[in-house]
Amino acid sequence: MQRRYLGLTAAAIATTMTATLTGCGSGSGGDVTLQLVAADYGSGKSNASRLYWDRLARGFEKKHPDIRVDVHVYSWTDVDKKVAEMVDAGHAPDLAQIGAYADYAAKGKLYSADQLLSIPTQANFTPSLEEAGEYKRVQYGLPFGASTRRLFYNKKLFAQAGISGPPQNWDDIAHDAELLKAHGVKMPFALPLGPEETQAETLMWMLSGGGGYTDSIGKYTIDSPENVRTFGWLKDDLVGKGLTGTDPAKLDRAAAFKAFADGDVGMLNGHPTLMKQAEAKGIDYGTVELPGPKGKAKATMGVADWMMAFKQNGHRAQAGTFLDYVYSDKNVEKFSGEYGLLPVTTSASQAMQEDDRFAKMHGFLQQLATAEFYPADKTSWPLVSKTVKAKMGAAVHPNGNPSGVLTEIQNTADAADNAAE
């Protein structure tokens, strides 16, 4: 079967879907074609996600000749928007692998996990990821790719500056950054609070300082004393002393990662994909758990992307059969290994933990069980995340006001939360 991929517009997918559904009926009998929209994790043509999905779909179709899978892969820049356009046009895909699920769950558009998956498949998700996929205590988001964060440091630059080991607390970070600066390192500590992924760097530092976006019952706590103290320290002890090398508000994560791989950064917070990037440039690096004010941070940040199944086309049984195949150990392990991500199932995580080929991933993997995630179950989160991206960099400017910026974001979050109720 010829499979279509990149370059299709949402309208074209919708047209294809309509034609398919007209020919296949409701899915209660005869052949069915499932429409899947997915994000591209690849760094180029050689490892584009469409290659992974092509192999997986062909394998599935051999086992289930009455179910075809038509996959459309988009960049992360476009994929959430494409799915939103399709849903708004009344032509939701059967399956979408994107960045957020809560808004669709809140509108009753998704099947819950227990309506789709076999009991062994649903029970195999890593518990922290299963919980992060819940909306009002029901799981709608199926974790697909996951990662945690650690502090990366350049061993060569540390040695040249006379630093014997990685930082263990905030005082160490500031002290080591001073030594790195004295030895001519361009960015002693890279702090990417530019608009690309500000919400991630922000949460890492919130957790490091004992705070977070929300409390244990899900109420926003953006302007908590812990968070104000954290960003005050960043402003005064890192940025104000010229230890970040550039204005954090203008530094994106991708640029920070590139600078680390180019040997221009002493330390930064990063996720597993930075390892391949650094190794490709010959950087001798180490990683440690995120430091906190007096020792290790209370938790690290976890990130998950989500698979979801839309109700509109009535293909619940077929979508569930396909998802059971997607989440088999073989396929989860292959995807995780190929794209430098953490497995989202307990069995695949255990297999990676026992495999020496993934030794450098083990530290990231061990943190997943206790990692804290974005409040993706809140329909207000997309607006809050957008606001954080727009404003957070100003909080650490030498002339900035961390408390004022955090309070402003808190007010936006409270208003959005109240409107969603």
Side-chain angles (χ1 to χ4, degrees):
M1 181 183 76
Q2 186 69 34
R3 192 168 281 108
R4 296 173 300 284
Y5 286 107
L6 292 168
L8 293 181
T9 64
I13 297 175
T15 300
T16 302
M17 185 184 304
T18 302
T20 299
L21 292 173
T22 301
C24 296
S26 65
S28 58
D31 290 350
V32 165
T33 296
L34 296 175
Q35 299 284 343
L36 166 63
V37 177
D40 191 359
Y41 290 83
S43 57
K45 291 183 179 180
S46 63
N47 70 341
S49 289
R50 69 177 182 83
L51 301 177
Y52 170 82
W53 284 113
D54 197 21
R55 291 191 298 266
L56 187 146
R58 283 202 305 264
F60 173 78
E61 290 165 356
K62 286 181 181 178
K63 294 177 179 290
H64 302 276
D66 58 332
I67 306 174
R68 295 187 297 275
V69 184
D70 194 8
V71 186
H72 308 269
V73 179
Y74 292 93
S75 72
W76 272 110
T77 305
D78 298 325
V79 68
D80 289 271
K81 180 182 176 183
K82 292 294 184 184
V83 172
E85 289 174 351
M86 294 171 69
V87 173
D88 289 345
H91 299 294
D94 295 290
L95 297 157
Q97 184 268 301
I98 52 178
Y101 66 87
D103 193 43
Y104 298 123
K107 294 176 181 176
K109 294 182 180 294
L110 302 179
Y111 290 116
S112 61
D114 60 355
Q115 292 176 312
L116 293 163
L117 304 174
S118 66
I119 291 174
T121 298
Q122 187 177 4
N124 198 26
F125 287 126
T126 299
S128 61
L129 293 170
E130 179 183 356
E131 184 177 346
E134 292 179 352
Y135 174 74
K136 293 189 175 179
R137 301 189 181 278
V138 177
Q139 185 184 6
Y140 294 94
L142 313 181
F144 189 72
S147 66
T148 59
R149 301 298 192 266
R150 290 170 72 83
L151 184 139
F152 284 68
Y153 64 101
N154 183 312
K155 291 184 176 181
K156 179 180 178 180
L157 296 180
F158 267 52
Q160 290 173 345
I163 306 170
S164 59
Q168 302 299 313
N169 54 50
W170 286 1
D171 286 343
D172 288 348
I173 288 178
H175 179 258
D176 294 349
E178 290 274 15
L179 294 174
L180 290 163
K181 180 182 178 182
H183 280 75
V185 176
K186 292 182 180 179
M187 292 186 192
F189 196 106
L191 185 63
L193 290 173
E196 179 190 6
E197 204 179 45
T198 329
Q199 80 284 4
E201 190 73 15
T202 296
L203 180 55
M204 279 182 265
W205 283 102
M206 285 178 168
L207 294 172
S208 178
Y213 280 123
T214 59
D215 61 17
S216 60
I217 61 172
K219 184 180 185 301
Y220 282 112
T221 54
I222 293 166
D223 63 350
S224 69
E226 294 84 359
N227 292 340
V228 171
R229 184 169 59 247
T230 294
F231 286 90
W233 182 85
L234 287 170
K235 169 183 174 289
D236 296 334
D237 288 63
L238 284 187
V239 182
K241 294 180 179 178
L243 301 179
T244 58
T246 188
D247 181 358
K250 298 178 180 178
L251 181 66
D252 282 337
R253 178 192 56 78
F257 278 19
K258 182 180 184 302
F260 185 81
D262 288 340
D264 293 331
V265 172
M267 298 172 277
L268 81 168
N269 298 327
H271 53 68
T273 57
L274 179 55
M275 295 191 295
K276 284 186 177 180
Q277 199 171 340
E279 288 163 4
K281 292 289 191 74
I283 297 297
D284 185 14
Y285 67 88
T287 73
V288 293
E289 292 182 49
L290 300 184
K294 303 298 182 183
K296 293 178 182 177
K298 70 163 188 173
T300 188
M301 183 182 80
V303 172
D305 303 318
W306 304 102
M307 178 73 78
M308 61 209 70
F310 286 87
K311 293 178 178 179
Q312 181 177 337
N313 303 317
H315 294 158
R316 181 185 62 81
Q318 294 87 352
T321 300
F322 177 63
L323 290 171
D324 279 336
Y325 183 80
V326 168
Y327 287 104
S328 66
D329 283 349
K330 178 186 72 172
N331 289 322
V332 171
E333 291 168 18
K334 183 171 181 59
F335 177 82
S336 301
E338 190 163 334
Y339 296 105
L341 294 166
L342 302 179
V344 297
T345 63
T346 301
S347 55
S349 295
Q350 184 174 349
M352 179 178 279
Q353 191 69 50
E354 295 170 353
D355 192 335
D356 290 340
R357 291 178 302 164
F358 299 107
K360 291 184 177 180
M361 296 285 284
H362 291 171
F364 292 93
L365 188 58
Q366 289 162 3
Q367 298 177 151
L368 187 57
T370 56
E372 296 197 16
F373 296 81
Y374 299 134
D377 60 324
K378 297 171 76 68
T379 57
S380 57
W381 170 242
L383 175 60
V384 174
S385 176
K386 182 179 179 180
T387 306
V388 169
K389 288 182 178 183
K391 298 181 180 295
M392 205 64 224
V396 299
H397 189 276
N399 298 323
N401 178 1
S403 178
V405 171
L406 289 167
T407 298
E408 188 177 352
I409 299 172
Q410 176 75 39
N411 291 338
T412 298
D414 287 341
D417 231 11
N418 291 335
E421 292 179 355

mmCIF file of all heavy atoms in Angstrom, residues 252-272:
data_model
loop_
_atom_site.group_PDB
_atom_site.id
_atom_site.type_symbol
_atom_site.label_atom_id
_atom_site.label_comp_id
_atom_site.label_asym_id
_atom_site.label_seq_id
_atom_site.Cartn_x
_atom_site.Cartn_y
_atom_site.Cartn_z
ATOM 1 N N ASP A 252 17.715 30.766 23.345
ATOM 2 C CA ASP A 252 16.826 29.610 23.219
ATOM 3 C C ASP A 252 17.567 28.323 23.565
ATOM 4 O O ASP A 252 18.794 28.260 23.516
ATOM 5 C CB ASP A 252 16.273 29.514 21.801
ATOM 6 C CG ASP A 252 15.142 30.499 21.547
ATOM 7 O OD1 ASP A 252 14.505 30.928 22.523
ATOM 8 O OD2 ASP A 252 14.896 30.826 20.373
ATOM 9 N N ARG A 253 16.795 27.291 23.887
ATOM 10 C CA ARG A 253 17.394 26.005 24.255
ATOM 11 C C ARG A 253 18.269 25.451 23.144
ATOM 12 O O ARG A 253 19.377 24.956 23.390
ATOM 13 C CB ARG A 253 16.294 24.987 24.600
ATOM 14 C CG ARG A 253 16.860 23.605 24.946
ATOM 15 C CD ARG A 253 15.766 22.563 24.997
ATOM 16 N NE ARG A 253 14.997 22.502 23.765
ATOM 17 C CZ ARG A 253 15.409 21.906 22.654
ATOM 18 N NH1 ARG A 253 16.594 21.337 22.589
ATOM 19 N NH2 ARG A 253 14.645 21.876 21.578
ATOM 20 N N ALA A 254 17.795 25.503 21.902
ATOM 21 C CA ALA A 254 18.564 24.938 20.795
ATOM 22 C C ALA A 254 19.918 25.623 20.672
ATOM 23 O O ALA A 254 20.948 24.976 20.429
ATOM 24 C CB ALA A 254 17.787 25.052 19.489
ATOM 25 N N ALA A 255 19.943 26.946 20.848
ATOM 26 C CA ALA A 255 21.199 27.685 20.768
ATOM 27 C C ALA A 255 22.113 27.338 21.935
ATOM 28 O O ALA A 255 23.341 27.235 21.777
ATOM 29 C CB ALA A 255 20.918 29.184 20.748
ATOM 30 N N ALA A 256 21.536 27.144 23.117
ATOM 31 C CA ALA A 256 22.331 26.762 24.284
ATOM 32 C C ALA A 256 22.940 25.377 24.090
ATOM 33 O O ALA A 256 24.113 25.149 24.414
ATOM 34 C CB ALA A 256 21.458 26.789 25.534
ATOM 35 N N PHE A 257 22.149 24.442 23.569
ATOM 36 C CA PHE A 257 22.661 23.097 23.316
ATOM 37 C C PHE A 257 23.782 23.125 22.278
ATOM 38 O O PHE A 257 24.798 22.436 22.418
ATOM 39 C CB PHE A 257 21.532 22.190 22.825
ATOM 40 C CG PHE A 257 20.672 21.618 23.930
ATOM 41 C CD1 PHE A 257 20.647 22.192 25.190
ATOM 42 C CD2 PHE A 257 19.877 20.505 23.699
ATOM 43 C CE1 PHE A 257 19.864 21.672 26.210
ATOM 44 C CE2 PHE A 257 19.094 19.967 24.713
ATOM 45 C CZ PHE A 257 19.070 20.550 25.964
ATOM 46 N N LYS A 258 23.606 23.905 21.232
ATOM 47 C CA LYS A 258 24.638 24.012 20.204
ATOM 48 C C LYS A 258 25.926 24.592 20.793
ATOM 49 O O LYS A 258 27.028 24.114 20.496
ATOM 50 C CB LYS A 258 24.160 24.880 19.042
ATOM 51 C CG LYS A 258 25.171 25.009 17.903
ATOM 52 C CD LYS A 258 24.660 25.875 16.773
ATOM 53 C CE LYS A 258 25.641 25.913 15.606
ATOM 54 N NZ LYS A 258 26.980 26.419 16.002
ATOM 55 N N ALA A 259 25.774 25.618 21.631
ATOM 56 C CA ALA A 259 26.952 26.228 22.245
ATOM 57 C C ALA A 259 27.676 25.229 23.147
ATOM 58 O O ALA A 259 28.914 25.218 23.204
ATOM 59 C CB ALA A 259 26.536 27.469 23.040
ATOM 60 N N PHE A 260 26.918 24.380 23.849
ATOM 61 C CA PHE A 260 27.549 23.354 24.679
ATOM 62 C C PHE A 260 28.319 22.365 23.798
ATOM 63 O O PHE A 260 29.460 21.994 24.098
ATOM 64 C CB PHE A 260 26.500 22.610 25.503
ATOM 65 C CG PHE A 260 27.082 21.618 26.469
ATOM 66 C CD1 PHE A 260 27.591 22.039 27.688
ATOM 67 C CD2 PHE A 260 27.128 20.263 26.160
ATOM 68 C CE1 PHE A 260 28.134 21.123 28.595
ATOM 69 C CE2 PHE A 260 27.674 19.345 27.043
ATOM 70 C CZ PHE A 260 28.174 19.771 28.268
ATOM 71 N N ALA A 261 27.697 21.952 22.694
ATOM 72 C CA ALA A 261 28.360 21.012 21.783
ATOM 73 C C ALA A 261 29.575 21.650 21.105
ATOM 74 O O ALA A 261 30.507 20.933 20.706
ATOM 75 C CB ALA A 261 27.363 20.524 20.733
ATOM 76 N N ASP A 262 29.586 22.968 20.997
ATOM 77 C CA ASP A 262 30.725 23.677 20.408
ATOM 78 C C ASP A 262 31.830 23.962 21.426
ATOM 79 O O ASP A 262 32.859 24.553 21.088
ATOM 80 C CB ASP A 262 30.259 25.007 19.796
ATOM 81 C CG ASP A 262 29.448 24.813 18.519
ATOM 82 O OD1 ASP A 262 29.556 23.732 17.907
ATOM 83 O OD2 ASP A 262 28.699 25.740 18.148
ATOM 84 N N GLY A 263 31.604 23.580 22.680
ATOM 85 C CA GLY A 263 32.621 23.778 23.707
ATOM 86 C C GLY A 263 32.637 25.160 24.327
ATOM 87 O O GLY A 263 33.615 25.534 24.968
ATOM 88 N N ASP A 264 31.543 25.923 24.178
ATOM 89 C CA ASP A 264 31.497 27.297 24.679
ATOM 90 C C ASP A 264 30.727 27.434 25.991
ATOM 91 O O ASP A 264 30.590 28.539 26.508
ATOM 92 C CB ASP A 264 30.856 28.217 23.634
ATOM 93 C CG ASP A 264 31.711 28.356 22.382
ATOM 94 O OD1 ASP A 264 32.945 28.249 22.503
ATOM 95 O OD2 ASP A 264 31.132 28.556 21.292
ATOM 96 N N VAL A 265 30.201 26.332 26.522
ATOM 97 C CA VAL A 265 29.375 26.369 27.732
ATOM 98 C C VAL A 265 29.995 25.466 28.790
ATOM 99 O O VAL A 265 30.365 24.324 28.504
ATOM 100 C CB VAL A 265 27.933 25.908 27.429
ATOM 101 C CG1 VAL A 265 27.123 25.760 28.717
ATOM 102 C CG2 VAL A 265 27.253 26.894 26.485
ATOM 103 N N GLY A 266 30.072 25.976 30.024
ATOM 104 C CA GLY A 266 30.587 25.160 31.113
ATOM 105 C C GLY A 266 29.539 24.253 31.701
ATOM 106 O O GLY A 266 29.787 23.059 31.936
ATOM 107 N N MET A 267 28.332 24.779 31.933
ATOM 108 C CA MET A 267 27.239 24.027 32.565
ATOM 109 C C MET A 267 25.907 24.458 31.967
ATOM 110 O O MET A 267 25.749 25.616 31.555
ATOM 111 C CB MET A 267 27.180 24.313 34.073
ATOM 112 C CG MET A 267 28.370 23.936 34.887
ATOM 113 S SD MET A 267 28.215 24.549 36.614
ATOM 114 C CE MET A 267 28.797 26.243 36.416
ATOM 115 N N LEU A 268 24.958 23.538 31.964
ATOM 116 C CA LEU A 268 23.567 23.864 31.628
ATOM 117 C C LEU A 268 22.692 22.688 31.984
ATOM 118 O O LEU A 268 23.179 21.554 32.145
ATOM 119 C CB LEU A 268 23.391 24.225 30.151
ATOM 120 C CG LEU A 268 23.284 23.105 29.113
ATOM 121 C CD1 LEU A 268 22.818 23.676 27.782
ATOM 122 C CD2 LEU A 268 24.579 22.364 28.940
ATOM 123 N N ASN A 269 21.398 22.934 32.100
ATOM 124 C CA ASN A 269 20.428 21.862 32.311
ATOM 125 C C ASN A 269 20.043 21.288 30.955
ATOM 126 O O ASN A 269 19.789 22.039 30.012
ATOM 127 C CB ASN A 269 19.187 22.396 33.021
ATOM 128 C CG ASN A 269 19.489 22.940 34.406
ATOM 129 O OD1 ASN A 269 20.378 22.425 35.091
ATOM 130 N ND2 ASN A 269 18.765 23.970 34.819
ATOM 131 N N GLY A 270 19.993 19.955 30.859
ATOM 132 C CA GLY A 270 19.707 19.364 29.561
ATOM 133 C C GLY A 270 18.980 18.040 29.657
ATOM 134 O O GLY A 270 18.853 17.454 30.735
ATOM 135 N N HIS A 271 18.501 17.566 28.509
ATOM 136 C CA HIS A 271 17.815 16.274 28.439
ATOM 137 C C HIS A 271 18.636 15.290 27.607
ATOM 138 O O HIS A 271 19.679 15.661 27.047
ATOM 139 C CB HIS A 271 16.392 16.442 27.912
ATOM 140 C CG HIS A 271 16.262 17.185 26.623
ATOM 141 N ND1 HIS A 271 16.719 16.697 25.426
ATOM 142 C CD2 HIS A 271 15.700 18.391 26.342
ATOM 143 C CE1 HIS A 271 16.448 17.547 24.464
ATOM 144 N NE2 HIS A 271 15.828 18.595 24.992
ATOM 145 N N PRO A 272 18.232 14.025 27.523
ATOM 146 C CA PRO A 272 19.094 13.001 26.925
ATOM 147 C C PRO A 272 19.567 13.276 25.506
ATOM 148 O O PRO A 272 20.671 12.839 25.141
ATOM 149 C CB PRO A 272 18.216 11.739 26.978
ATOM 150 C CG PRO A 272 17.332 11.951 28.154
ATOM 151 C CD PRO A 272 17.032 13.422 28.153
#
